[in-house]
Every structure is written in structure tokens, then in C-alpha cells.
Amino acid sequence: MTTTDAISKPDAAPPARRLWSGVKALPIAYVGTILLLVCAALLRPNLLQPFLLLLILRQTAPLAIAVIGQSLCIRILSLDLSFGGVAMAVSYIVTSGMLPYPAPVLLLLSVLFGVAVGATNAYFIAIRKASSVMVTLAMVLILGGVVTALSQFRAQGDAPEILRYIGQTRIGVVPVAVLVWFAVLIPMALFMRYSVFGRYVDAIGSNPRAAGTTGIPHVKVVFVTHIMSSLFAVLSAFLLIGFVGFGSATIGVDLALNSLAAVILGGVTFGSGRGGMLGPTVAAFMLMFCFNLLTSFGLGEPGKQMAQGAIIALAAIAYAAGDRRR
Amino acid sequence: MIAILPRRMGRTGLGVVSIGLPILLFVGLSLQADNFLQAQNIANINSQITTLLIVALGQLFVALIGGIDISVGSVVSLSSTLLVMVDPALAVPAALLAGAVIGLANGVGVAIFGVHPLIMTLAMATFVQGLALLMMSGSGGTVPEALIWMAKTSFGGVPVSFLWCLAAVAVTAVLLNRTRFGLHVYAIGAGEQSAAFSGVRIASTRIACYVICSLAGSMAAIYLTGRIASGDPTMGRPFSLDSVTAIALGGVLLSGGIGGVWAALLGTLTLGLITNGMNLTGVSPFFREAITGVLLLVAVSLHRRKVIGI
Amino acid sequence: MSEAASAPAAQGRVEFRNVTKQFGSTRAVSEVSFSGRAGSIHAVTGENGAGKSTLMKMLAGVHVADAGEILIDGRPVSFPGTAAAREEGVSTVFQELTLLPNLTLAENMFLGREPRRYGMLDRQAMRRRSRDALASIGIDIDPDVTCGDLALSEQHLVEVAKASVADSKIVIYDEPTAALDGPGTEKLFRLIEEQKKAGKLVFYISHRLDEIFRLCDTTTVLKDGAHVATLPTAELTRDRLVSLMVGRELAQMYPPRATKAGGAALVVDGLVARSGRPGVSFGVKRGEIVGLAGIEGQGQRDIMRAVAGLAPGISGNATATDRQGAVFPVGSSIVANTRAGIGFIPEDRKSEGLFLSLSISQNIALGMLRKASMFAAAVIDRGRIAALMKQMAVRARDAGQAVASLSGGNQQKVMFGRWFSADVDLMLIEEPTRGVDVGAKAEIYRLLREFTENGGAILMTSSELTEHIGLCDRILVVREGAIVAEIEGARATEETIMTPALTGSHGERAAA
């Protein structure tokens, strides 16, 4: 008597419909990117020139690196909105001349600083069990407040040579920044796919309570993830400082929200335990391309902000509605 | 669920910290800063906290159902721009309508589609802030005379800001303690499933809370825009996080079900006194921001949740 | 049924016609038809997961039926919510506590149907009417007290009073005595008898035979979501009722008991699981299945979770010995427990046990990785997973299928598979077969016995006495947090377990 042991039958739908449902399951970013490219081809064909595309790709690099960190956080049902604060502080450490050390030491200090911020975030999130959004937003207030207050005494200066090299040079036609991006992305994607850590992340994302009863070290995973996330933010800040050539208090203010938008567009959703690296990466490019397109239509900073908000809200609603139906 | 409910004064959220902290600050400041107790300074504190209090009372509704609204600051900003940009006769209705629509959108996203409130309101915050900046790039504009009067006049020595506080507190208290809606808000915060079993309409009550919060944002903007006699598209920036900090300091449980008017009031007072104290002792305004951040960290880790993450 | 048809003016008559409810791929209720008549107490019984609660929740307005219809007084009804059901005169005492801990007793009693004056809450009326309702079932509690401050049994009585304030013609009780003490139960039974006399139809969900035979006029038996029989209780015997519920002889369900008991696998010494509870001491030997039995909520779960390291105990000691003879402490953290070779199976597999959106293989592999370093490569033995799925008879397309799409029984097997694949020495199991159909139950029992025959050891809890009696080698009876009796599995009967569980006396054991 095992009549209730019915297995859900494999799809018997015709190939066309299966293809369609396959397309629907893809992250919004893929379809979105294609739509944007088509849109550009029709309305602003010069955006598709190879050198401009490479430029946009270079522009994407810092965001895409931050996106790696954000996607890790979201996959364990957390969130890191402290990227802007981290970038601001790194910019100050590296360019203000407040610390009289050579560039490599400053970069190392920035990395250690990233570890400290990540660990602090993780402490409040995992041990004190405070909401990650609140913790990381508080972190932005703290870092932003301290750096702005300190900047009154000493203005930020030029970027170190090495960062300018990474930010502004090309090898052949390929910008060094893009190489750095892929040099980080590919090992990270492989690590997430083949390591025990990657499996823990999937499990926690799928059901944190079950992760608890299965003996998965949840707290440790949160620490590692948030430290990684802050380190990616530091690297992202390095690239941004390199592009601009000098430090600034507004560097990276967009990173947190843009990375959140990219991760959601890239198909990493809360509570599904799913999500790869490719979707968010494509989404980062899509966002940058979209902003360039909007700029070419004469949309300013406020319009970009509205687009950010609308994209996050609509993508989140679309995925949530999809999950409901399932 | 029952076991984790801390022994507090009923569901008011009040405890030793939330009552003791403002008293301690008050005593400390009156000893430390000579001009603290002057009537002018007290009136200053009152008018400084009025805006935050109105927003915090709105945030209270959302917190009681276990939600959060970080778009309310942007609502303040947008309402402020609307107040100076549309026809004076329509200024107030336009601001309130904007608040209602934004609250409705938040509520529908959260309660109908099931988007996490932090994601939904964060997205909304960004969108609405962009919209405010699109309409008006910097502060300015002409504020209708009536609004300035409503924020600045006084009746027999009692500044009108005090009346604003009184009205906001009274409306909130009646809604929460005397109506069916208020009871349902507390019920949903303590257990959505159980409340649904008892016949409480979950979705509409939750949506109503987001609408109330946004309306509170618009009301706060009406007061503040009148007071500074100018519209400002970034006026509301600090209020989202400050309002959460305030109610959490006052003992409102951010996971829902526990908290009340007194908690919101005391939390706002605490934050107001800290800001005033830093003003009087000449701390750099940027460090003040950092200290607000530290307070937020402390406030959100006061009540330990069961879940780790967002 | 003829009796019901001839009943005069059958107000409150309920008829279920081919009612069906599906959750995902599981049919919780499948084409159930029967009817109940006014002025009677109607038992709805069956094993855990038989569909009793789901069926009644459709009448209560919690779920909406996928197919079939429910008729009240011959009129088809469909309730979008509990409020709608209440308007039609259906009130329910749910198994889960629905009292909200932050509201006062009076507020809880009238939540969703608050009396109002001038648009505002009429608190005075709420207080007065609550006091009356409480008095009518013989309890005296201040209606202004916050419900979170009440004892568990008091809360259940308030829950009962809450349903009785509604002027209803149909009352549903879902396992109402699970958390009540003796006097509380008596009060409840008196109230139910009165409701029957008043001409109401009472549906009484329970799997406690004593209560059914004492209280109910008619009995409906469900099994695996389907209707088995509806009979006057007078025509039933205990044995007949049990065989209707289980659907086969008990002897066929359970594997033979332990053939060999080895050395100690788990030794618990003076463990205080929760403050205010006494310390408990017991052991589990290799090759043994030991059950913690008792009335629900007496502390079995606390002991289990303290040993598992999920809610570390206040004081006391627990050590485990692995197959190689190494002794190590347990219960400080579940992470350390798992690394050391102790698997934990929670009672609620969907919310606490499984990663529903992940595949079978991903779920099982987490067990294999229990000792691995976080930064190491995940080495997964796919052949082992395939072999295990075959051995456990998991019915699925392949190992890549999402666990969410499996039936309850197969999900449960996947959860066990995680620890089988991890070569654990000891399993701590809460409710080995909750919500699992009979066929899968027998398979799971066989798998558990295989595990212990190969040198494993099991400590388990269960809310079904038959499971303890059929499966365990030794049964420890827990009452108020203390172990009050130890009974050899082969000699255990419902009476030998229930007597100490209810009274705490060791009388039965002395007699045996």
C-alpha cells in the first residue's frame, strides 16, 4: 500500500513549451542583457563599438568583484550593504597620506582593515543575531562618519602608482582591471562549486534550521562569508581608486545597491539555495550597460537611482511571485 | 515562542534600559552642560525630536508586525519637495497622497508578493530618493505660509511643536490600544499563523501598517518643511535608520509583537538627548553620525533574534 | 448511517463528499466521504499523518479543498478563512496553541470577533464575557493576565473556552488532551458532553483509544489520507479499531528485536536538560534501540535536544563511545557531535531536517562531509549514494531530483540516508516515521534495525506508543522530566507504559 508514494512525473510537455519554461527559469540578467543590446543596436548603435564595450567592461570590473561578495552573502541569507563605507575608508587609508608608509604596506593595511570590518559584521550578525541589513548600514554610518570627520584634517590625495596601473593600463586590448576581475572570479567560482564550503553555503541558503540540525558550522560560514565579502569590497575599492587616479569621499557609494541589484537580477534568490556566479556577473555588465544607455538618453544621477530602485523592486517581486507559484 | 518572551511590562516593551537611559542622560546633561536646562534648549530639543518622533511612531506600526520600513526617510524627502513644488492649495494633499501610494506599494510587495521587507523598502528608498532629486536638485522653493505658521507658532507660550508631538502620540495610542486594528497588529506580530486561525485578516492589516508608516513620513515632512521654511530633496536621509534606532532603544522588539507608544517616545527622547548633548559639548557632526551608527548596532543587538541573517 | 438519516431536524449535520487535498506531490486527504450528525460526538482517528487534521482544517476554514465538497445541513460550503467558518457556526480548538503570548486572555478570547462600542474596542464586555466563559468550564483566571504568563495546561483550557464563547453548532477538537493534566481533561470531557446535550456536533480528533471509547458515539478511521470506515463506536473493539488504523497486523510492521547488545554507545549521567527539571541518567548500548516514551511535553524532547547539542543542558554529563572504543563528550554543540559521529533526526523534517530545494544527492552528501574541512574539496561518493538509494528503496527519478518533490516517506528515507552514508555510530531520532505512509514505515523500521545490527545505536522519541512497543529494545518512560520507569521492549504494553507515564508509579514493573 504505497499509493501515496507517487513521484512527480517527468515533464511530458512538448519541446517548445519545455524550451520556454527553460528560458523562464534563466536569470533575468541573460534576457535583460540581450534586450538591452538589441535596444542599443536600434537606438544607440555607437554604444556597441568594440572599444566602448571594452570600456564598459572595465567599468564593470569593480562592481562585478563586489557582486561576488554580495552573492555569497545573499546565498547564506545575509546581506552586506557596507561596501560604500569600506570603499571610503580604503580610499582614505591609501590616498590621504595620514599613514606614512609605502604603498604596499598601505594596501596590506587595507586588506587587514577589510578582514576587521567583515569580522565585525559577522560578529553582530552571527553571534548577536542582529539583522544583517541593520548591522551593515550601521557600519556605513560609522565608517562614513569617521572618515568624513578625519578628512577635515587631511584631504585625500593621489592614488599609488600600482593602483593607477591596474585601473588604467591595458595588456593588448584588454584592460588590466578586467584581467584582475577574471583572475578573482574564476577561482572563486571553482571554489564555490567544488569545496565543502560551497556545499555548506547551498545548505544554509536552502534551510538554515536544517543546517543547524545537520551539524553545519553556521556561525563559521557566516564569518568566512562576510570576511570574504569585505575583502572583495576592498579589492573593488582598489580598482575604483585606480580608475579615478585619486582618493575621494564618494568613491563606491553605489557599490552596495548596485551589487544587490545585480545579484537579484542574476538569479540568486533568498531561500532557494540556488545561485551561481555567472548570472550575477552577467547582471553586473547588464547594469553598467544599462546606465551607459540611460546616460546616452540624457538621464542623470537621479534617474539612475530610480532605475536602481525599480530594478531591485521589480526583480524581487518577479522572483517572489515565481516562488509563490511553485 | 512563549518561553522567549521576555518578562517585560506586558507588551509595552518598556524595561529598565528604555526607561533608565533617558533619565540618566537627562540628569547627566543637566549636571554637565550649564545651558542644557534653559527653556530655550528644552524647546530646541522638543522641536528637534518632533520630526523623528512622528517618523518613529510610524515605524512602530511596521515593527509591531515584524516588518521594517527603510524607505520612510525618502518619503520625507519626496514629500518635502512636493510641498514646495505643487500648487500651495494642493501641497498637503499631494504630500499625503504620495505617502499613501508609496506605503501601499511597499505593503503590497511585502504582504501580497512576499518580498522581504528590507529588500522591498530598500529598493523603494532608492527609487523615491531618485524621484525627489529628479524633481528638485537642491534645497529651496517657497513653502506655503500656512505650513510655516503650523510649524513655528506658539499658543500661550506652548510651542506648536509640542502640540504636534501630542497629536501624533494621541493618534497612535488610540489606534494601537483602542481599536480592533491595533489589537490585530499586536496579534500578527506575535504569531501570524495563530492570528490567521483566529480570523485576523493578515494581508490587509500588514499593508495598512506600511501605509501608516509612509503617511507618518509625509506628516513629518509637513512639519519639518514648515519649520525650516524650505523644501529639501534630501531632508529625510537620516530618518529611516534613526527611527529604527529610536524604537529599538525604546524597547520595541524588531521581530514584532512587543512595543508601544511609550517605548517609541522614550527611544526618540534618548536619541534626541544624545544628539543635543553632543551639540552642546561641541562634537563634530560627522562623529555624531558615527555615534548614531554605534547606537544602531547596540539597539539592534539588544534583542536577540532566533534567525541569523537579513 | 440510517440512524443519522432519521434524526429529527438535523441542524448542524455535516457531510463530506469526495473531499481531496493535495500538498505538493503528497495527497494529504484523498476522496473522503462520510457524515456526522447533530447532537453527537464523532471521533476522527488514525495514525499520525493519516489526514485527520487536514480534513478537519478544511471544515474549519484553514485549508480549501482541492476537490469534492463539504455540506452543512445539506448546503455546500467553502470557507476562505476561519472567520467565514465561524460565521457558519464552526469553531475549532486547534492542536497548535493559537493563543498569542503578548495579548491578554480576554483579548485572545475575542480576537477576530471583538465586541465594539462607538467603533472602539469594548474591553469591559470582553472581560465580562471571558470571565463567564471560563467559569462555565470551571476555571478561574483573571482575564487581564497576559497569556504568555499562563502555564501550558491553562493555555489549552483557555483555548477550549475560546471556542466555546462562539455560538457554534459544530465544534472541532484536535487532540485536545495532549497537553492537559487529569483534572483538566475531566473539565474538558464534561464540557464536550454538555455541548452534545445542547445538540451540537462535536468532531473529536484523537488517536487515544481510551478517550474514543469513553466519549464518542461514532468513529471515523482514516489511513494514508483515505477513508477506511465510519462506525458506531459501540460496534467496535479495541483490537478491531487498531487494525483499522494500522491496516495490517503489528507483527508484520516491525523487524525482530536486537540479537546482540554490545558495549556502551551513550552514557548520560545526571543530565539536567532544562532548569527546574530533575537530572536524568541512562545508557544506550551498541546494537540497541532505546525509546523515550511518555505523554507529550513531559521533557523527552528536551533530553533529546540536550544530548544532541542543539539546546545544551544546564548540568550533567554525557559521553559516547565510538566503534573503535574512543570515549568523547557529547551535547556541547551539534557541530562537534556530528563530527564525532552522532546523527540527529528532528521531528519536523520539512522545517528542520531537509533542504527541500536541494537534490537528494546534495542532501545525503552533507552527511559524508561531516568530518571534512570547510576549505577542502568536497569528495562525494556518488556510487555510494546510488547504492544507498537502492538499498533504502527511495522512489525517485534519480539522485538529482529535488527533495521537495518526493513523498513524505521518501523524504524521511533521504534524511536517514544522510547519516547512513556518514557512517555514524549513534543516531538520535525524534519521531522516526511522522507523516509517513504504512509501507514506508515498515521499510524505515527495517533500515533502523539494520543500522543497529551493524553496530549502531539509536535513541528515539515517538508520540505513538505502538512504535515504542514494536521497535524498541528498551523503553524509558519520562514524566515531568524524570525517567520514572524502564521497560523491556518485548514485555511492554500500552498499559505498562501509560501507568507510569500518567502516575509516575513503578507499580507495573514490580508486578511484572
Side-chain angles (χ1 to χ4, degrees):
Chain A
M1 285 289 284
T2 54
T3 44
T4 56
D5 267 16
I7 303 158
S8 65
K9 288 191 202 85
D11 270 27
R17 270 185 60 190
R18 261 158 70 185
L19 189 71
W20 171 234
S21 63
V23 169
K24 270 203 303 192
L26 281 178
I28 295 174
Y30 297 168
V31 182
T33 307
I34 293 170
L35 284 179
L36 280 176
L37 290 175
V38 171
C39 192
L42 295 174
L43 301 170
R44 289 286 186 280
N46 52 347
L47 261 185
L48 297 179
Q49 290 165 27
F51 91 94
L52 265 180
L53 282 179
L54 272 174
L55 217 61
I56 296 176
L57 214 56
R58 195 196 74 166
Q59 254 183 355
T60 309
L63 173 62
I65 287 171
V67 161
I68 300 174
Q70 190 70 274
S71 74
L72 291 186
C73 290
I74 291 191
R75 280 167 74 176
I76 60 160
L77 309 178
S78 189
L79 206 59
D80 191 347
L81 297 177
S82 65
F83 291 171
V86 171
M88 237 172 127
V90 167
S91 162
Y92 189 78
I93 292 173
V94 176
T95 67
S96 71
M98 190 76 161
L99 302 161
Y101 302 115
V105 177
L106 291 178
L107 297 190
L108 184 70
L109 275 177
S110 304
V111 168
L112 291 178
F113 172 78
V115 172
V117 171
T120 312
N121 283 340
Y123 167 78
F124 281 100
I125 294 165
I127 311 276
R128 307 296 310 178
K129 298 195 174 172
S131 153
S132 58
V133 172
M134 289 296 132
V135 169
T136 54
L137 282 177
M139 192 54 88
V140 174
L141 286 182
I142 295 170
L143 295 176
V146 170
V147 170
T148 319
L150 289 177
S151 300
Q152 289 175 301
F153 307 119
R154 194 186 281 266
Q156 308 205 4
D158 285 341
E161 192 53 43
I162 169 120
L163 292 189
R164 264 183 291 169
Y165 172 78
I166 295 174
Q168 297 169 359
T169 325
R170 297 160 183 269
I171 294 177
V173 290
V174 187
V176 175
V178 175
L179 294 177
V180 171
W181 164 18
F182 283 97
V184 177
L185 174 71
I186 292 166
M188 200 57 209
L190 291 174
F191 176 68
M192 290 310 287
R193 196 172 168 85
Y194 293 109
S195 69
V196 175
F197 179 78
R199 296 212 165 230
Y200 285 172
V201 166
D202 287 344
I204 291 171
S206 172
N207 185 351
R209 286 180 69 195
T213 67
T214 313
I216 289 171
H218 194 160
V219 170
K220 232 167 151 184
V221 172
V222 173
F223 267 87
V224 172
T225 305
H226 270 280
I227 289 173
M228 279 192 196
S229 173
S230 291
L231 286 177
F232 284 121
V234 170
L235 184 57
S236 176
F238 285 167
L239 293 191
L240 284 172
I241 297 164
F243 287 166
V244 185
F246 50 87
S248 124
T250 58
I251 232 163
V253 283
D254 268 355
L255 270 185
L257 279 174
N258 278 340
S259 64
L260 174 62
V263 172
I264 295 180
L265 286 174
V268 178
T269 48
F270 281 104
S272 68
R274 282 188 307 259
M277 287 278 170
L278 191 59
T281 301
V282 172
F285 174 77
M286 172 188 157
L287 270 186
M288 277 305 165
F289 191 82
C290 177
F291 291 149
N292 275 292
L293 194 63
L294 290 179
T295 310
S296 77
F297 291 137
L299 210 65
E301 212 39 54
K304 261 168 73 178
Q305 245 183 334
M306 289 174 69
Q308 271 176 349
I311 287 170
I312 297 176
L314 294 177
I317 286 177
Y319 282 116
D323 279 351
R324 284 253 143 141
R325 241 179 291 124
R326 229 172 289 128
Chain B
M1 186 162 61
I2 291 134
I4 62 150
L5 194 72
R7 296 224 161 227
R8 295 157 189 276
M9 296 162 69
R11 57 174 179 250
T12 59
L14 297 175
V16 181
V17 176
S18 52
I19 298 176
L21 204 57
I23 296 176
L24 218 64
L25 277 166
F26 193 88
V27 173
L29 281 173
S30 29
L31 296 177
Q32 204 64 38
D34 338 314
N35 41 1
F36 174 74
L37 278 178
Q38 284 170 9
Q40 185 54 45
N41 188 50
I42 297 294
N44 265 345
I45 296 176
N46 178 220
S47 58
Q48 278 162 7
I49 69 168
T50 302
T51 323
L52 181 58
L53 179 66
I54 298 171
V55 178
L57 288 170
Q59 190 73 261
L60 171 68
F61 280 89
V62 179
L64 281 175
I65 55 161
I68 195 162
D69 185 354
I70 40 183
S71 67
V72 64
S74 296
V75 173
V76 174
S77 301
L78 180 68
S79 301
S80 179
T81 58
L82 283 172
L83 286 171
V84 297
M85 289 195 68
V86 302
D87 183 84
L90 293 174
V92 170
L96 291 176
L97 183 70
V101 169
I102 292 165
L104 192 67
N106 279 333
V108 168
V110 172
I112 309 281
F113 289 104
V115 179
H116 195 288
L118 279 166
I119 302 276
M120 187 67 215
T121 58
L122 187 66
M124 188 60 82
T126 318
F127 180 82
V128 174
Q129 181 61 75
L131 186 59
L133 284 169
L134 191 70
M135 291 174 54
M136 198 171 151
S137 53
S139 64
T142 323
V143 180
E145 277 305 316
L147 288 188
I148 299 177
W149 180 82
M150 272 167 56
K152 285 191 166 170
T153 184
S154 64
F155 297 99
V158 179
V160 74
S161 58
F162 183 73
L163 299 181
W164 276 84
C165 291
L166 211 62
V169 166
V171 169
T172 311
V174 168
L175 270 179
L176 280 181
N177 302 327
R178 295 271 171 262
T179 67
R180 214 178 144 150
F181 165 73
L183 188 59
H184 291 186
V185 166
Y186 279 104
I188 291 174
E192 213 174 284
Q193 179 105 41
S194 300
F197 278 170
S198 299
V200 172
R201 282 167 29 198
I202 309 290
S204 54
T205 309
R206 289 175 77 192
I207 292 173
C209 287
Y210 283 94
V211 172
I212 290 175
C213 185
S214 288
L215 282 177
S218 297
M219 289 304 294
I222 291 170
Y223 168 78
L224 190 57
T225 307
R227 200 170 90 90
I228 61 176
S230 137
D232 182 350
T234 59
M235 172 192 273
R237 209 158 249 174
F239 288 112
S240 293
L241 293 183
D242 281 4
S243 62
V244 175
T245 311
I247 59 171
L249 281 176
V252 176
L253 206 60
L254 294 179
S255 52
I258 301 286
V261 177
W262 282 105
L265 185 61
L266 288 175
T268 308
L269 198 59
T270 304
L271 211 56
L273 287 174
I274 289 172
T275 311
N276 185 253
M278 287 192 287
N279 264 339
L280 293 182
T281 48
V283 177
S284 152
F286 299 110
F287 276 119
R288 220 151 59 208
E289 191 175 292
I291 290 170
T292 314
V294 173
L295 281 175
L296 179 59
L297 269 185
V298 171
V300 293
S301 41
L302 275 180
H303 328 288
R304 234 180 263 202
R305 311 179 301 163
K306 276 165 112 182
V307 291
I308 295 177
I310 183 161
Chain C
M1 292 294 104
S2 60
E3 207 182 334
S6 64
Q11 269 283 312
R13 187 191 148 93
V14 171
E15 190 178 349
F16 295 92
R17 276 190 198 159
N18 296 319
V19 174
T20 297
K21 180 75 194 172
Q22 187 120 6
F23 292 117
S25 62
T26 324
R27 266 207 165 175
V29 172
S30 175
E31 303 195 358
V32 169
S33 304
F34 70 93
S35 58
R37 79 193 140 77
S40 77
I41 304 173
H42 193 132
V44 180
T45 189
E47 294 198 288
N48 279 337
K52 314 178 288 261
S53 296
T54 311
L55 178 69
M56 285 300 143
K57 277 182 177 167
M58 286 186 265
L59 178 59
V62 175
H63 300 313
V64 177
D66 293 331
E69 54 184 2
I70 301 173
L71 297 89
I72 296 182
D73 297 334
R75 217 157 28 80
V77 291
S78 174
F79 304 130
T82 50
R86 215 162 37 204
E87 239 145 67
E88 282 290 327
V90 182
S91 64
T92 313
V93 179
F94 293 100
Q95 187 178 7
E96 308 89 341
L97 275 171
T98 65
L99 296 186
L100 294 154
N102 61 343
L103 302 191
T104 69
L105 198 156
E107 287 169 340
N108 262 307
M109 292 266 266
F110 288 94
L111 186 62
R113 52 175 172 227
E114 302 83 356
R116 279 176 294 175
R117 275 179 75 187
Y118 315 117
M120 301 278 146
L121 290 178
D122 187 352
R123 290 187 180 274
Q124 243 172 336
M126 279 160 66
R127 251 178 239 131
R128 193 187 56 237
R129 285 167 59 189
S130 318
R131 207 173 276 127
D132 292 348
L134 290 169
S136 74
I137 58 167
I139 43 178
D140 178 29
I141 310 174
D142 178 9
D144 283 330
V145 76
T146 304
C147 278
D149 294 340
L150 292 175
L152 215 56
S153 60
E154 285 175 320
Q155 294 198 31
H156 274 275
L157 283 173
V158 171
E159 200 87 54
V160 169
K162 180 180 172 182
S164 75
V165 294
D167 188 23
S168 51
K169 49 187 180 183
I170 298 155
V171 192
I172 304 168
Y173 291 95
D174 191 351
E175 309 265 5
T177 55
L180 289 183
D181 52 3
T185 306
E186 286 308 317
K187 280 175 190 159
L188 172 70
F189 285 0
R190 228 175 300 136
L191 174 74
I192 292 178
E193 296 282 4
E194 271 164 32
Q195 287 173 333
K196 172 187 168 185
K197 273 190 211 123
K200 298 181 182 188
L201 164 57
V202 177
F203 280 114
Y204 190 87
I205 307 176
S206 178
H207 58 232
R208 294 200 181 158
L209 305 187
D210 289 338
E211 294 173 2
I212 293 171
F213 281 103
R214 168 169 168 194
L215 204 60
C216 302
D217 305 301
T218 317
T219 301
T220 289
V221 181
L222 300 180
K223 184 165 74 70
D224 298 344
H227 180 251
V228 176
T230 297
L231 296 164
T233 314
E235 289 177 15
L236 282 167
T237 62
R238 291 178 80 92
D239 289 343
R240 172 117 172 79
L241 186 51
V242 168
S243 72
L244 284 175
M245 282 163 69
V246 178
R248 65 163 89 175
E249 291 305 313
L250 281 182
Q252 283 175 271
M253 287 280 294
Y254 295 99
R257 278 176 223 275
T259 51
K260 49 184 190 253
L266 173 71
V267 177
V268 174
D269 184 23
L271 176 74
V272 178
R274 191 188 271 197
S275 64
R277 295 286 200 184
V280 291
S281 303
F282 61 92
V284 180
K285 290 200 266 300
R286 212 149 280 299
E288 229 185 3
I289 300 179
V290 174
L292 292 171
I295 310 287
E296 255 171 78
Q298 292 291 306
Q300 304 93 307
R301 191 169 183 268
D302 296 336
I303 296 171
M304 197 62 133
R305 299 217 155 194
V307 174
L310 270 174
I314 312 278
S315 63
N317 241 324
T319 54
T321 312
D322 67 13
R323 281 176 230 232
Q324 283 76 43
V327 179
F328 52 90
V330 300
S332 61
S333 91
I334 185 138
V335 180
N337 260 14
T338 313
R339 280 189 167 261
I342 300 172
F344 174 72
I345 301 274
E347 59 186 332
D348 186 343
R349 64 172 166 268
K350 283 192 176 158
S351 73
E352 282 196 313
L354 287 168
F355 305 96
L356 291 173
S357 60
L358 302 186
S359 69
I360 298 173
S361 135
Q362 278 174 300
N363 268 277
I364 293 181
L366 284 168
M368 292 179 169
L369 299 174
R370 70 182 167 88
K371 283 187 194 159
S373 150
M374 207 150 77
F375 299 104
V379 185
I380 310 295
D381 184 347
R382 287 176 201 287
R384 176 96 193 260
I385 292 176
L388 200 62
M389 281 175 66
K390 209 168 160 199
Q391 185 205 340
M392 297 192 300
V394 175
R395 275 165 283 270
R397 261 201 316 275
D398 54 55
Q401 192 176 339
V403 170
S405 62
L406 299 177
S407 73
N410 286 314
Q411 288 183 344
Q412 193 79 0
K413 286 182 200 167
V414 169
M415 201 157 62
F416 282 111
R418 182 187 299 152
W419 299 131
F420 292 146
S421 77
D423 294 319
V424 294
D425 292 300
L426 171 66
M427 276 211 268
L428 307 171
I429 305 172
E430 292 178 347
E431 303 289 343
T433 61
R434 174 164 287 183
V436 164
D437 66 274
V438 177
K441 266 187 183 182
E443 280 167 6
I444 287 171
Y445 296 144
R446 174 180 61 80
L447 289 167
L448 293 183
R449 184 49 80 189
E450 266 174 36
F451 172 72
T452 56
E453 285 298 294
N454 291 327
I458 291 175
L459 176 68
M460 62 170 253
T461 61
S462 173
S463 56
E464 287 188 47
L465 278 184
T466 47
E467 201 160 76
H468 281 289
I469 296 168
L471 189 62
C472 294
D473 299 305
R474 270 187 307 135
I475 298 160
L476 307 172
V477 183
V478 182
R479 184 181 137 83
E480 289 174 356
I483 293 175
V484 293
E486 180 179 333
I487 303 163
E488 199 184 312
R491 292 191 180 186
T493 62
E494 288 203 17
E495 286 77 13
T496 55
I497 298 175
M498 284 311 282
T499 309
L502 285 169
T503 64
S505 96
H506 296 56
E508 284 299 327
R509 235 187 134 210

